[in-house]
């Protein structure tokens, strides 16, 4: 599978994981600030940008998203720091768990750990979080809200 990503700068690697209804361009301003000091890698997750949608035999999972992140980290010598926003935070948490000691820092911004809540036995909290996450794309489909949220309808994680 082809992964669409940006890779700029040099030094310690920082991997930026975008929110579900976005793409790696959400990080442009931050990347501009980081590039003079770090190698900044920002992938488009499955279905964003030129990265194809998930086509695996099973429903898309956190492990599948983390595998994409791990694949990019394979190109990095040494450790990485991972930053994730919204559902990208859940992807980042899973990737950090899978990468283990290779992760120096994990930064989560408005993390959306729906499936992690379910896996930990918090089914009610997981269902509530998922219901709230559907609000923006559902409003957009009814003609309210931001068009950028339209892709969230196609990105149900959990």
């Amino acid at each position: 599978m082809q992964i669409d990503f940006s890779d700029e700068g040099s030094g310690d690697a920082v991997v930026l994981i975008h929110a579900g209804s976005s793409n790696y361009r959400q990080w442009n301003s931050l990347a501009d600030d980081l590039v003079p000091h770090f190698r900044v890698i920002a992938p488009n997750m499955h279905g964003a940008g030129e990265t194809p949608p998930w086509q695996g035999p099973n429903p898309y999972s956190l492990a599948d998203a983390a595998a994409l992140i791990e694949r990019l980290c394979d190109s990095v010598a040494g450790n990485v720091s991972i930053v994730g926003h919204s559902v990208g935070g859940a992807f980042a948490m899973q990737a950090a768990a899978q990468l283990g000691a290779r992760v120096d820092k994990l930064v989560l911004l408005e993390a959306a750990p729906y499936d992690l809540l379910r896996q930990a036995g918090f089914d009610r909290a997981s269902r509530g979080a998922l219901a709230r996450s559907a609000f923006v794309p559902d409003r957009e489909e009814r003609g309210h809200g931001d068009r950028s949220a339209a892709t969230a309808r196609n990105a149900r994680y959990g």
Side-chain angles (χ1 to χ4, degrees):
M1 178 192 73
Q2 181 74 17
I3 301 172
D4 181 25
F5 66 101
S6 68
D7 186 348
E8 300 178 81
S10 61
D12 295 337
V14 178
V15 180
L16 305 173
I17 311 302
H18 64 80
S21 62
S22 189
N23 60 50
Y24 71 61
R25 288 189 183 109
Q26 89 169 57
W27 300 112
N28 284 351
S29 292
L30 178 61
D32 288 345
D33 290 340
L34 294 176
V35 164
H37 311 284
F38 300 96
R39 177 179 178 192
V40 178
I41 302 169
N44 273 324
M45 299 302 291
H46 292 101
E50 298 298 317
T51 302
W54 175 250
Q55 296 184 10
N58 299 311
Y60 192 49
S61 70
L62 289 175
D64 298 319
L68 183 149
I69 297 164
E70 281 184 279
R71 201 164 138 204
L72 287 177
C73 290
D74 287 344
S75 71
V76 174
N79 292 345
V80 298
S81 294
I82 304 175
V83 178
H85 174 233
S86 188
V87 75
F91 297 163
M93 285 187 272
Q94 184 69 41
Q98 291 175 208
L99 288 164
R102 288 207 56 213
V103 177
D104 277 334
K105 295 173 186 66
L106 175 63
V107 178
L108 306 174
L109 307 167
E110 301 176 316
Y114 313 130
D115 200 45
L116 295 174
L117 287 169
R118 185 192 56 75
Q119 289 175 29
F122 296 101
D123 291 340
R124 184 173 170 207
S126 173
R127 286 190 305 272
L130 279 169
R132 284 186 294 283
S133 76
F135 177 76
V136 171
D138 288 346
R139 280 184 49 84
E140 196 287 321
E141 283 183 2
R142 290 191 306 260
H144 308 286
D146 184 351
R147 294 278 324 158
S148 67
T151 57
R153 167 60 68 198
N154 299 321
R156 297 289 186 219
Y157 307 104

